[in-house]
Every structure is written in structure tokens, then in C-alpha cells.
Amino acid sequence: MAKSSKLANGKPAAAGPATIHDQKLQRGEGGELHQFAEGDVPVLTTAQGGPVADDQNTLKIGPRGPALIEDFHFREKIFHFDHERIPERVVHARGYGAHGFFENYKPLSKYTRADLFQRAGERTPAFVRFSTVAGSKGSFDLARDVRGFAVKLYTQEGNWDIVGNNIPVFFIQDAIKFPDIIHAVKEEPDSAFPQAASAHDNFWDFISLTPESMHMIMWVMSDRAIPRSFRFMEGFGVHTFRLVNAKNESTFVKFHWKPKLGMQSVLWNEAVKINGADPDFHRRDLWTAIQSGNFPEWELQFQMFDQAFADSFEFDILDPTKLIPEEVLPPIPVGRLVLDRMPDNFFAETEQVAFMTQNVPPGIDFSNDPLLQGRNFSYLDTQLKRLGSPNFTHIPINAPKCPFAHFQQDGHMAMRNPVGRVNYQPNSFGEGPRESPQRGFTPFADVEQGAKRRLRAESFADHYSQARQFFVSQTRGEQHHIAAALTFELSKVKTPVIRERMVSHLLNIDETLASKVGTGLGLKTMPKPADAAVPTRQDLEPSSKLSIVENGPQRFEGRKLGILVTDGTDAAVLKALQQGLAKAGASFEIIAPKVGGAKASDGSWIEADQMIDGAPSVLYDAVALLPAAAGVQDLLQEHTARDFVADAFAHCKFIGYVDTAAPLLEKAGITQDDFDEGVIPLGAKEAAGFVERLGRLRVWAREPGVKMK
Ligand code: HDD
């Protein structure tokens, strides 16, 4: 609150030291001091700069009104408030962004002339926005959904946007189907629900009538669609693009972002509970990591190939429902992306950032992927609707950070003040910018020919083989999650024929999967397999890179331990744990019966981060139970304390416990017989070893026993 404002009773608020916020207010954009300041404190003004005497009461006749329309301060304040919202994105409405940089490892001039890849160690400023697809702006973070992974690189040759997802394939092969898939997945138009959920008739109706979506469906029903953190997801450019070098030679490329901290997802049962306990779980995670100096990092890797590889590969490299397995074509590391700064203001940057697939610098080019070609049209169009003016590139987050010069002018909200008389070229006055055939973007001179038709290429017709390959590449547990996810989603579909039609597709992917889902849905008879344009190939090698569990981090770095304490908690154990976590680059939160904290065994005070009711164990990657003998008796009476432990166990998490916590384990239904390698006795000496074991993240062997769906 500005210090000059008055309290509701009309008295001035107590003046304190000026905050950073105030300091900013005090200086205009050019750094000039505000005209009005009382001591250190800037005076509240209207948007026109006029000082405001009273911001608590409208202008009235007499103390009880009527109000006067001449109250320009009230009118302006409410006018602006009434217009605070802009249309949310039609897809990917809920998102969270951060600033950072891309650092190039070594010159790549052999493949691309793009300036950002010419020098080792060169840093290019970046802004990244992660998102869900289906939910509205205020929806929860842990929806089962694809995650957007959109990267804007402010290169010296203009902005380059890699507008990707955390899944390397897509639902549809042609952009003309995009409105249909999105209409189908979003809330149904009559009831306006469900929000941020694909578990409804319209979505599965469309999917079951669209066999090309089957590969993507395997991904979306896998744990990839419920990531633990944005920091632990892969990103993909999805389409095949081109790199073009100075000699105008082209190399095909697929973009991969690999998280430095490894991949990790949550279980569906956890996701449901996280959404209730902390709908902003992913936002909070990114915010906290960056604000505490733990900057998330991804490696950019290129899968590069030539026309000969494209011709010999099993599938069409222009088909966005297919990937190239990493075992077949290993990706090559080319640089790293680090996110090290949160926006000062969410709206100004994260909400107003405009990504566009067509933003490419010279040296990066498109392929003929029909989905990409359609996207290149759509993204410019949508910015005009959402940001309201063709001058959306004037908004700082969208403006290039390299020199730029053009003759585009005027329009709503023009922010620039061009000088001089010349606003066209060529001109006789030798003024203004001119095109540069050497430096400018030159499309790769591919030769195209063919009849003008609306046609789907026959080479796009195999819809099941890679869906099967993905499924068989998962661990047994991950396969079980896919079956459970399909059963859950289809159980929400009211129209039986849609459920059956989906199972008929699954029969073309994997019979065991189909029969698990069919049984789970209580189908009386199994349907026939769906007609397939191309029979499913059984010979594609499993690709272990497709599994999250097979590519786990094996370390607890970047993860969070929930430590449950009470009065009397053993201070030495707590200290040893905290030291072990610090060494591992991990964090923790203290959960106590009361948020005020608890008194440790040595009389010291343990500050708590959460009270037990506000911090279910789903918010943590592992838990440590450190209650003292007296404290545990109170916890036994608390449902939330029992759930804390029971859920941690059911979610296959590591649980460290001191002797005095044993009754709580028992009360949570975990008997000595259930104890496994993940239920670990804790003393001060064991703390370091405990943290080391947390690197495995989950005890998956426990899962069949706890029968989690
Ligand atoms: Fe899209 C937003 C990713 C297909 C049309 N898309 C959007 C965002 C991401 C993607 C990450 C959010 C960007 C941000 O954070 O602001 N979209 C994809 C991927 C696709 C894809 C990986 C397939 C490979 N999209 C796609 C198609 C179309 C669109 C086929 C239309 C023909 N997408 C849009 C859009 C959005 C968008 C309507 C909404 C807001 C925006 O662009 O700026 O234009």
C-alpha cells in the first residue's frame, strides 16, 4: 500500500520505510522523480498524474450522497478496473512464466547460420511459459493434460519462439482439426463443465472417432500428463523443422529440452489431492525454486537428419503424430536453458507474452508438416484478438532485444514515436532501413509440386504402431497407470458406445491393455478391434527413453521433504536431516500441529512452515516423521495426521520415522508386515543415508500391494 494513503477512518496510514514498490512509483519511466512526493513517500496520483487527496470516499453531496459524476478520480479508477481483463488464451490459458537465458555450447555453423548458434558460450535472453491446455486461466495445476513448453529466445536476429509441449507428438495431423479437438476437450458448451478435465463424453467421442490421436492418447494417459513440477518435464518442438546454413543447405531437426534434474511425475490419486490442497502447486514450485536461487535448467538437444534418413525412416517425418526414437537417432546436446528470474508482474509479462511458431531467425526454417503450416497462420491471428492491437510487439515482453527498424506505423496503442518524414521504401531521401539479401531471412529453396487437393498423405496412415511402441516401452507400473487412467477417464463417459469404441482402438495397441480397461469398465463383451488402415507393427523396438521411471534422477536434488514435528522432537535428528538435505541440494518444510511451531527436545524453537491440516503429504516427495512420544498421542487423534502417513505410504514414497512415530504408522494402517525398503528408521546417524536413498523417489515395488488405481 502506498504510504500516503489514508485508512478507512480517514487518518493517514503510518509512514514506514519506503518499499521497493514505492521507489519504482517515485520514478517515471525515464527515471525522472515524480512531481509530487511528501518526504520519501510518493503521492498517489490519477493515471493523468494529478495528485489525489482522498482515495477512500467518492465525491458526494452531503455525507450520505447522492454521488457526483464529476468525480473524475472515481470515474477513471473504476473505468480502468472494469477493463483490467483481456481475453484469456483460447487454449493454454493457465500458465506460468520465467526469464532466463540460453547458452550455446559450440559453433553450429555447419548446420545453421542462425546467429545464436555461432559462438561457444554465447548467451541469448529467454522467456519461457509453461501451461496446461484445456483449463481456464483460474483452473488448477494438476489437471491430467498436456503441458505447454513455450520458449522465446530474444536473438540478435529477432525473436525465435519454440512453441512446444512436454509431449513430442500431437493429437491431430492437420491444423484444420484443431478447433474440433479443442472444442471436444474443453467444457461441454451446454453445461459448461467439466473444467480442465478430459474425462467426459465429448472428448472421448472425438478421440474414438479420430484414430490418428491414438499415439498421443497413450502419452496423455501416461504419467507425463501429471508432472510433479515444470522443472522435471521434458519439452519438445514436436514438428520437424529445418536448420539452414550459410550455403543454403538444409538439415532436418527435431528440438528436445531435457531437464537437468531428471523427469518426475505424480500419481493420479496424488494429483487429485494436490489440486485441493494447493491448486497453484506448479506455480509455487517454480516461483520458490527460482526465488531461492535453485535455477531450473534444461539442455537443448537436436535430433538432426538428412533427406536420406527421412526417406528411409519407418514413418513420415512430416507427420506430427510420430516421433523418432532416441535409440534410432540420438539427440545431440547443443546448449542449455536456465531460468533465473521471475517476472516482476505476472500480467505484464506472463499474461501478455505472445508466442508464435512463425517467429524464426534466419537459419531456422519450417518443414511442410501440415500442422505446423496451420499453426504459422493461427498464432499471429490470436494475438490481435487477445492483446487487442497489431502493436502487441510494442509490449516490452514481446519486443525484440536486437536493433529493429521498419515502416509499420500507427494503429491502436502505438507506443513508439517515429521521427522524420519517410515512412516507406524505396525513397529518394536515403533515409530509413532497407532490406538485406545477405542478412535477411531466406526460405530454404525447396522445390514443391503436385495437384491442388484436400488430401491426407498415405504415409500418415499408420495410427497404432507407435502407440504400441510407447506402451511397451513403459515399465509395468507405468503401463498399469495408463490402464488405470483410461479406465478412470472412460468411466466418466456416459455413452456406452464411446467407451466400447475406445476399447476397440486399444485392441490394436495392446491386447492386455484393452482387456484391463474393458474389464475395468465392466464391458460385458469385448468389441472387435477397430478397422485399421495399416495393421499395427509388432516389430518396433521398445525405447527406454520413453519411460519416466527408467530415466529417473537417482538423486533428491531439487525435491522437497515434509518433516512432521511436535513439541519434544529430537533436535539432533532434525538438524542432521536438514544438513543432509542441504548437501543434496534438496529442500524441506516443517509441518507442526500449529503453524507457530514447536519446542524441540533441546528447548530450541522449531519454526513451522505449515500446520498439519494445510500440508498433506502429497505436497512432498518424501516424508520424515519426527514426533515425540507425547506429541504423537495428539496426532493419533487427527485424521489429517493419519492421512499424511497413509497417503505417503500408498503413494509409494519414502518414509523416515523415529521410534516414537511408530504408533502413528500403525494408526495409519501400516503394520510391521508392510514395512519395506522405503520405510526407514531414523536417528541422527541415519539421516545422511536416508537422504541418499530418497534419490530413488519412490518404492515402486510397493505399488501392487497398496492397489493404487
Ligand atoms: Fe498451439 C497456444 C503448443 C497446435 C493454435 N500452443 C499454444 C501454446 C503452446 C502451444 C505451448 C501456449 C503459448 C503460451 O504460453 O502463450 N500448439 C502447441 C503445440 C501444438 C499446437 C505443441 C502441436 C504440435 N496450436 C496448435 C494448432 C493450432 C494452435 C494446430 C491452430 C491451428 N495455440 C494456438 C493458438 C494459441 C496456442 C490458438 C492460443 C494462445 C496463443 O496461441 O497465443 O493460436
Side-chain angles (χ1 to χ4, degrees):
M1 193 196 288
K3 300 292 173 332
S4 58
S5 64
K6 286 180 189 168
L7 300 174
N9 61 12
K11 297 218 173 94
T19 63
I20 294 172
H21 188 61
D22 295 331
Q23 301 285 4
K24 277 188 186 160
L25 274 177
Q26 235 177 320
R27 293 198 173 265
E29 278 199 350
E32 76 283 4
L33 269 181
H34 263 234
Q35 194 184 352
F36 303 108
E38 280 174 9
D40 275 353
V41 179
V43 168
L44 180 73
T45 70
T46 65
Q48 303 283 352
V52 172
D54 182 343
D55 192 36
Q56 318 300 325
N57 305 291
T58 47
L59 190 62
K60 300 183 203 74
I61 306 272
R64 298 170 59 234
L68 295 179
I69 57 171
E70 78 169 67
D71 186 349
F72 57 83
H73 170 51
F74 168 79
R75 166 90 175 96
E76 182 202 73
K77 184 176 176 184
I78 298 299
F79 151 80
H80 200 277
F81 173 75
D82 287 346
H83 297 273
E84 276 179 7
R85 293 289 170 271
I86 60 171
E88 65 174 36
R89 290 166 174 83
V90 59
V91 282
H92 296 264
R94 182 166 180 83
Y96 211 52
H99 293 274
F101 61 86
F102 170 75
E103 188 177 85
N104 187 47
Y105 288 160
K106 56 178 188 195
L108 293 175
S109 50
K110 184 173 168 206
Y111 301 105
T112 175
R113 58 177 280 212
D115 179 73
L116 80 161
F117 293 123
Q118 301 311 306
R119 293 161 294 277
E122 174 127 333
R123 288 189 173 186
T124 302
F127 187 81
V128 177
R129 183 173 177 273
F130 304 105
S131 48
T132 52
V133 177
S136 64
K137 188 170 174 278
S139 56
F140 39 81
D141 277 349
L142 261 290
R144 171 178 292 287
D145 201 352
V146 186
R147 295 301 181 288
F149 194 125
V151 182
K152 189 180 279 294
L153 298 170
Y154 301 91
T155 86
Q156 283 307 304
E157 297 172 317
N159 294 349
W160 177 21
D161 296 348
I162 308 179
V163 197
N165 281 341
N166 73 332
I167 290 179
V169 290
F170 203 61
F171 293 102
I172 48 170
Q173 294 173 323
D174 192 308
I176 201 168
K177 297 307 296 168
F178 193 66
D180 297 293
I181 170 80
I182 297 304
H183 287 177
V185 71
K186 284 210 163 218
E187 62 271 26
E188 299 186 358
D190 49 357
S191 61
F193 58 75
Q195 174 63 232
S198 54
H200 62 115
D201 283 56
N202 281 13
F203 177 70
W204 287 103
D205 187 29
F206 178 83
I207 293 299
S208 65
L209 295 168
T210 309
E212 73 204 55
S213 65
M214 288 308 142
H215 186 195
M216 178 73 164
I217 284 299
M218 287 296 108
W219 284 79
V220 178
M221 291 299 112
S222 80
D223 298 343
R224 299 262 179 170
I226 36 175
R228 151 70 173 82
S229 158
F230 297 136
R231 298 179 293 135
F232 310 149
M233 322 187 294
E234 290 185 327
F236 303 92
V238 181
H239 315 280
T240 296
F241 288 83
R242 286 178 186 276
L243 302 173
V244 182
N245 67 16
K247 291 189 228 151
N248 258 319
E249 294 160 340
S250 149
T251 306
F252 289 119
V253 62
K254 278 181 176 279
F255 302 123
H256 298 244
W257 299 105
K258 300 281 184 194
K260 189 178 163 205
L261 295 173
M263 282 189 281
Q264 187 185 338
S265 282
V266 300
L267 292 166
W268 177 240
N269 185 273
E270 262 182 296
V272 170
K273 291 172 180 168
I274 292 171
N275 282 333
D278 184 4
D280 306 305
F281 189 67
H282 283 159
R283 290 185 169 193
R284 197 182 307 281
D285 174 89
L286 190 66
W287 170 273
T288 312
I290 293 179
Q291 299 296 55
S292 58
N294 295 314
F295 303 138
E297 192 171 322
W298 287 260
E299 185 163 74
L300 178 62
Q301 300 186 354
F302 284 176
Q303 268 184 316
M304 293 192 282
F305 54 99
D306 57 13
Q307 189 63 52
F309 175 93
D311 294 340
S312 66
F313 183 58
E314 276 131 328
F315 303 97
D316 196 326
I317 55 104
L318 299 183
D319 175 356
T321 67
K322 305 296 185 300
L323 53 79
I324 305 176
E326 292 186 25
E327 288 82 355
V328 174
L329 185 65
I332 294 158
V334 300
R336 67 189 186 114
L337 171 73
V338 179
L339 298 182
D340 59 2
R341 182 165 64 86
M342 289 309 298
D344 291 326
N345 182 276
F346 176 86
F347 180 86
E349 302 186 301
T350 308
E351 194 56 13
Q352 294 199 105
V353 65
F355 291 95
M356 301 194 288
T357 49
Q358 65 271 41
N359 280 355
V360 288
I364 308 291
D365 207 341
F366 313 114
S367 71
N368 289 343
D369 175 340
L371 195 69
L372 176 59
Q373 300 271 327
R375 293 180 74 192
N376 285 347
F377 172 81
S378 179
Y379 286 75
L380 180 59
D381 207 33
T382 207
Q383 309 313 343
L384 184 59
K385 171 74 191 167
R386 213 167 62 76
L387 299 168
S389 153
N391 291 319
F392 69 89
T393 55
H394 295 203
I395 301 172
I397 192 71
N398 295 323
K401 295 193 194 297
C402 62
F404 59 93
H406 54 75
F407 294 116
Q408 294 166 26
Q409 65 170 32
D410 303 351
H412 284 292
M413 300 291 163
M415 296 294 162
R416 297 184 187 127
N417 196 2
V419 290
R421 97 185 242 184
V422 171
N423 55 358
Y424 58 91
Q425 66 101 355
N427 64 67
S428 310
F429 307 101
E431 284 182 29
R434 297 298 297 262
E435 70 266 29
S436 162
Q438 290 75 37
R439 294 193 50 209
F441 181 89
T442 315
F444 175 66
D446 209 10
V447 179
E448 309 290 356
Q449 61 172 14
K452 193 195 285 184
R453 296 165 79 181
R454 291 185 188 274
L455 202 69
R456 192 72 59 91
E458 259 182 55
S459 52
F460 283 30
D462 181 342
H463 301 319
Y464 299 106
S465 299
Q466 281 208 341
R468 177 180 171 76
Q469 184 178 33
F470 178 79
F471 183 73
V472 299
S473 302
Q474 306 299 306
T475 61
R476 281 177 86 83
E478 288 172 312
Q479 289 185 345
H480 172 66
H481 297 166
I482 294 175
L486 280 160
T487 312
F488 168 82
E489 294 262 322
L490 293 170
S491 78
K492 299 284 179 185
V493 171
K494 305 275 179 258
T495 315
V497 68
I498 299 176
R499 292 185 220 139
E500 280 164 33
R501 208 186 292 136
M502 264 319 297
V503 176
S504 76
H505 289 293
L506 299 181
L507 281 164
N508 287 339
I509 297 171
D510 183 84
E511 275 185 32
T512 324
L513 170 67
S515 108
K516 259 193 187 169
V517 176
T519 311
L521 291 172
L523 293 194
K524 292 192 188 73
T525 50
M526 280 300 268
K528 286 205 193 94
D531 287 341
V534 174
T536 313
R537 290 180 52 172
Q538 310 288 322
D539 61 331
L540 299 179
E541 288 291 320
S543 160
S544 67
K545 294 283 181 197
L546 300 178
S547 153
I548 296 176
V549 171
E550 298 266 341
N551 297 282
Q554 301 305 330
R555 59 193 200 281
F556 204 59
E557 186 184 351
R559 272 72 182 180
K560 197 193 270 183
L561 183 71
I563 307 178
L564 184 60
V565 303
T566 62
D567 282 337
T569 281
D570 188 325
V573 180
L574 179 60
K575 197 169 164 212
L577 261 184
Q578 289 168 332
Q579 283 169 347
L581 290 164
K583 212 170 145 207
S587 64
F588 65 87
E589 272 189 1
I590 300 282
I591 304 124
K594 294 193 178 133
V595 75
K599 197 175 196 177
S601 58
D602 64 354
S604 62
W605 192 253
I606 312 170
E607 296 291 344
D609 300 290
Q610 305 269 5
M611 71 181 276
I612 181 97
D613 284 22
S617 59
V618 292
L619 301 183
Y620 307 103
D621 297 293
V623 297
L625 311 175
L626 312 186
V632 86
Q633 292 308 320
D634 294 336
L635 291 181
L636 294 180
Q637 313 306 317
E638 297 278 350
H639 270 296
T640 42
R642 292 184 329 239
D643 288 351
F644 186 91
V645 181
D647 269 354
F649 187 78
H651 298 144
C652 306
K653 288 179 183 165
F654 280 82
I655 302 174
Y657 71 100
V658 291
D659 285 351
T660 40
L664 188 56
L665 282 160
E666 203 178 315
K667 190 83 180 183
I670 304 158
T671 63
Q672 286 285 340
D673 288 349
D674 299 318
F675 280 26
D676 56 26
E677 62 199 301
V679 183
I680 301 170
L682 265 182
K685 283 204 197 105
E686 288 84 28
F690 173 67
V691 174
E692 183 122 325
R693 285 160 81 177
L694 297 183
R696 279 176 49 207
L697 301 180
R698 308 263 180 163
V699 186
W700 291 118
R702 189 190 297 159
E703 200 178 20
V706 290
K707 293 204 181 61
M708 286 296 307
K709 275 246 167 173

